[in-house]
């Protein structure tokens, strides 16, 4: 299993995080055959920069590469 972390910096504010992470998930499911799912974790207690981060999971490293190219990770 391969994982990629995305922070909420592109969301435009805490209230937009859920939609932002879900939109990324939709893109991954449409373009990455081995995309499995994602999970969002609240990190506001331990981070000065982000409120939440999302972990996207893939079965194939090729899809991870394409995902990283798309989202600049």
């Amino acid at each position: 299993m391969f994982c990629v972390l995305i922070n909420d910096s592109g969301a435009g504010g805490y209230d937009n995080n859920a939609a932002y992470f879900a939109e990324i998930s939709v893109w991954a499911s449409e373009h990455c055959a081995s995309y499995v799912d994602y999970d969002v974790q609240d990190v506001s207690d331990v981070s000065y920069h982000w409120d939440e981060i999302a972990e996207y999971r893939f079965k194939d490293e090729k899809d991870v590469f394409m995902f990283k190219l798309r989202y600049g990770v």
Side-chain angles (χ1 to χ4, degrees):
M1 188 77 57
F2 300 95
C3 300
V4 179
L5 297 176
I6 302 282
N7 61 52
D8 60 6
S9 63
Y14 180 80
D15 293 335
N16 302 323
N17 287 352
Y20 175 68
F21 292 136
E23 181 180 314
I24 294 172
S25 176
V26 168
W27 184 91
S29 65
E30 291 174 352
H31 295 91
C32 303
S34 74
Y35 174 67
V36 178
D37 63 2
Y38 76 107
D39 185 45
V40 177
Q41 181 68 43
D42 183 339
V43 294
S44 60
D45 290 344
V46 295
S47 174
Y48 291 114
H49 301 293
W50 305 295
D51 292 319
E52 296 177 316
I53 57 171
E55 177 184 65
Y56 295 86
R57 293 180 278 276
F58 302 85
K59 292 180 184 175
D60 189 338
E61 193 170 17
K62 290 180 283 190
D63 286 332
V64 170
F65 181 71
M66 189 164 65
F67 184 83
K68 286 181 175 184
L69 283 174
R70 169 65 174 92
Y71 287 99
V73 183

